[in-house]
Amino acid sequence: MGYAVVLGEALVDLLDTEYDGVPVYRQAIGGAPLNVAVGIARLGGAVQFVGSLGEDALAERIRTFLTSAGVGLTGTVTAAVPTTLAVATFTGAEPDFRFYGDPPSYALLNPEDLDVGLIQGAQVLSCGSIVLLSPAPLAAARRAWSLATGLRVFDPNVRPRLLSGPAALADLREVVAEFAAGAHLVKLSAADAEVLYPGEPAEGVAAYLRELGAGTVVVTLGAAGAVVTAADTDPVRVPAPRVTAVDATGAGDSVLAALVADLLVAGEPVDPTGWAERVAFALRVAGLVCERPGGAVAMPTRAEVADRFPG
């Protein structure tokens, strides 16, 4: 089995919660691509994280956490800035993020920083998320995309609060179209789809991204499951298991992590039915993540998924 490279951001989440009836912020290591990398490792996959980290105590905690989770750091660079903070507040289980730190510690990876051999040797390359909104890591992602010899996976992971207006949204749509056109797999959420293509149903968004050139598209729908379309078949809805969600942070990331982990094990499914089965497993992973507090630390092992959802 080969390894995956996940290119994107790592930061620290401050999660709005309570302790003894007093509002407090709980610190958690986060960033969607970091969550994906940890999820892959927890599911038994070999994975390297590629991105920029600060040089403060928080960045050292990120490095220690990733290393202890089994995630390689060969492709990371250090920038002389403090670690970006993402302050998350909740309405129900879904978090709303506001980002603090200028320049962002996650946005300082340059194209020339890439380890070419690491990228070219990867069985799977996963790119996306908020690094696409910053010129340097966007250029690095484009170079990595062009260097990749394995499967290319893309997740836009849209954060509306980082979009400065209609022009920024239009630019992001162009970037999404660019990466989707060369992707073997695109995963996005219904919330992403609504920001990018307002009013379009999930099936329509999946079909559109397939028309651009994406091999397979998965649109997650929260408790309603996911839509998956592969090859030249109509989109199929895959139900999610019933769970009592306490924190949806990282749930969508865990879906991508599960899909990438299975790509490492067995490559692409040979038919759409195989994709539906993989998405069903990924939704079980996400269901378990939703039952636990906190993003990356909630990522389960395969044994834990089997125990929670036997049969």
Side-chain angles (χ1 to χ4, degrees):
M1 183 171 67
Y3 64 89
V5 164
V6 178
L7 187 154
E9 73 270 10
L11 40 75
V12 169
D13 294 331
L14 296 180
L15 306 175
D16 190 14
T17 184
E18 285 189 1
Y19 181 76
D20 285 344
V22 178
V24 296
Y25 283 100
R26 180 171 60 85
Q27 183 186 126
I29 291 167
L34 178 146
N35 292 339
V36 172
V38 172
I40 293 168
R42 291 281 286 168
L43 291 168
V47 58
Q48 294 280 340
F49 178 78
V50 172
S52 60
L53 299 175
E55 62 172 4
D56 55 5
L58 294 179
E60 191 56 37
R61 291 179 188 176
I62 292 173
R63 291 184 181 89
T64 299
F65 175 75
L66 286 172
T67 300
S68 65
V71 177
L73 296 174
T74 300
T76 61
V77 299
T78 300
V81 296
T83 298
T84 295
L85 301 177
V87 177
T89 54
F90 292 84
T91 302
E94 289 290 340
D96 175 37
F97 290 97
R98 290 177 183 260
F99 298 85
Y100 297 85
D102 187 22
S105 58
Y106 60 76
L108 300 173
L109 178 75
N110 293 293
E112 58 270 22
D113 295 325
L114 294 177
D115 183 326
V116 173
L118 183 73
I119 302 298
Q120 291 181 329
Q123 184 177 336
V124 180
L125 169 67
S126 177
C127 290
S129 200
I130 62 176
V131 294
L132 302 179
L133 302 176
S134 300
L138 173 57
R142 283 172 168 152
R143 185 178 185 219
W145 210 243
S146 70
L147 289 170
T149 60
L151 300 174
R152 292 181 297 275
V153 175
F154 176 66
D155 179 2
N157 191 48
V158 181
R159 295 294 182 220
R161 291 194 181 279
L162 293 177
L163 299 174
S164 56
L169 177 56
D171 289 343
L172 179 58
R173 283 198 192 100
E174 290 186 6
V175 171
V176 170
E178 172 190 346
F179 279 84
H184 295 85
L185 170 65
V186 176
K187 175 265 164 192
L188 71 164
S189 69
D192 296 335
E194 181 58 29
V195 174
L196 291 167
Y197 317 107
E200 271 300 316
E203 286 84 355
V205 171
Y208 169 68
L209 295 174
R210 281 270 300 126
E211 289 172 4
L212 290 177
T216 299
V217 180
V218 176
V219 183
T220 57
L221 308 172
V227 167
V228 56
T229 179
D232 294 320
T233 59
D234 293 332
V236 173
R237 291 218 170 200
V238 181
R242 292 187 177 183
V243 299
T244 301
V246 297
D247 183 354
T249 306
D253 306 328
S254 73
V255 170
L256 185 59
L259 294 173
V260 171
D262 280 349
L263 287 174
L264 290 174
V265 172
E268 292 185 280
V270 297
D271 56 43
T273 300
W275 273 113
E277 291 172 352
R278 296 216 188 158
V279 171
F281 171 71
L283 293 174
R284 294 195 291 275
V285 173
L288 185 48
V289 167
C290 287
E291 292 183 331
R292 303 171 168 182
V297 297
M299 298 295 166
T301 64
R302 290 185 185 272
E304 288 171 335
V305 178
D307 286 345
R308 174 62 182 85
F309 302 106

